Amino acid sequence: MQTMKKYELTKEYLTGIDMIDKEHAKLFDLANECYELVMDDASTDHYDRIVELIDELRDYAATHFAHEEEYMERVQYERRFSERYQHLRFIQKLSEVDLDSVDENQQEYLLGILDFLARWLYGHIKGMDCRIPKEEDAAAK
Ligand SMILES: [Fe+2]
């Protein structure tokens, strides 16, 4: 299978907080993996693997959010509650994904999910996460 890096965590999406950036990179990896499978030769059925990957993404996102929220709590980041709200919405949205009921246009449906995912990742990371202060800066305030 050809590797297509569809979603890239470029420099402008780095928060500068090591743990958070590493976990964001993993979320992007998972999204890329889903994308590759969705775009791969349709004669091979990747459906089960894709469903599995979306579950994995949701679980990993939940773990990551917990870490990020813990960090924000520690540095007493003032926007941590709106962060938390967006995290909850994300998990909620991914939990609503009902792949079992999708028979027709499977690929289209999955691409829709990926599109949501990518827009959320880019939007949330740049709009929210990049404003989270580094520990040393938060302490200096
Ligand atoms: Fe976040």
Side-chain angles (χ1 to χ4, degrees):
M1 194 193 304
Q2 215 189 356
T3 306
M4 289 179 282
K5 273 258 182 223
K6 168 83 168 152
Y7 311 116
E8 259 191 285
L9 187 66
T10 50
K11 235 167 70 187
E12 57 185 316
Y13 295 97
L14 294 178
T15 63
I17 302 156
D18 209 41
M19 169 205 64
I20 293 178
D21 288 336
K22 276 190 186 132
E23 294 185 351
H24 285 163
K26 168 84 174 164
L27 287 174
F28 272 73
D29 285 347
L30 287 169
N32 275 316
E33 232 182 294
C34 282
Y35 181 78
E36 280 170 34
L37 288 174
V38 173
M39 296 311 282
D40 193 39
D41 180 8
S43 61
T44 325
D45 190 8
H46 296 301
Y47 187 73
D48 292 343
R49 178 65 188 132
I50 291 167
V51 173
E52 219 175 80
L53 265 172
I54 288 174
D55 280 346
E56 202 180 323
L57 247 162
R58 195 191 47 226
D59 291 349
Y60 188 77
T63 307
H64 161 62
F65 292 158
H67 291 160
E68 207 176 82
E69 286 166 21
E70 214 174 82
Y71 173 87
M72 290 188 290
E73 190 61 38
R74 197 166 69 230
V75 301
Q76 290 289 295
Y77 178 44
E78 61 272 20
R79 290 196 187 89
R80 62 193 183 278
F81 303 109
S82 31
E83 270 274 2
R84 179 158 167 72
Y85 178 72
Q86 287 203 8
H87 292 166
L88 285 172
R89 290 297 309 260
F90 178 85
I91 296 293
Q92 206 173 51
K93 175 89 183 175
L94 275 197
S95 306
E96 281 164 10
V97 171
D98 182 15
L99 291 167
D100 295 335
S101 64
V102 191
D103 287 326
E104 289 164 45
N105 296 324
Q106 245 178 40
Q107 198 184 30
E108 207 178 299
Y109 185 75
L110 288 166
L111 279 172
I113 296 171
L114 275 172
D115 189 55
F116 159 78
L117 198 75
R119 265 183 301 159
W120 196 93
L121 278 178
Y122 285 120
H124 178 80
I125 291 177
K126 184 119 176 81
M128 301 285 291
D129 293 344
C130 283
R131 296 155 91 176
I132 302 174
K134 286 184 216 165
E135 203 153 12
E136 55 270 30
D137 297 339
K141 266 213 304 190

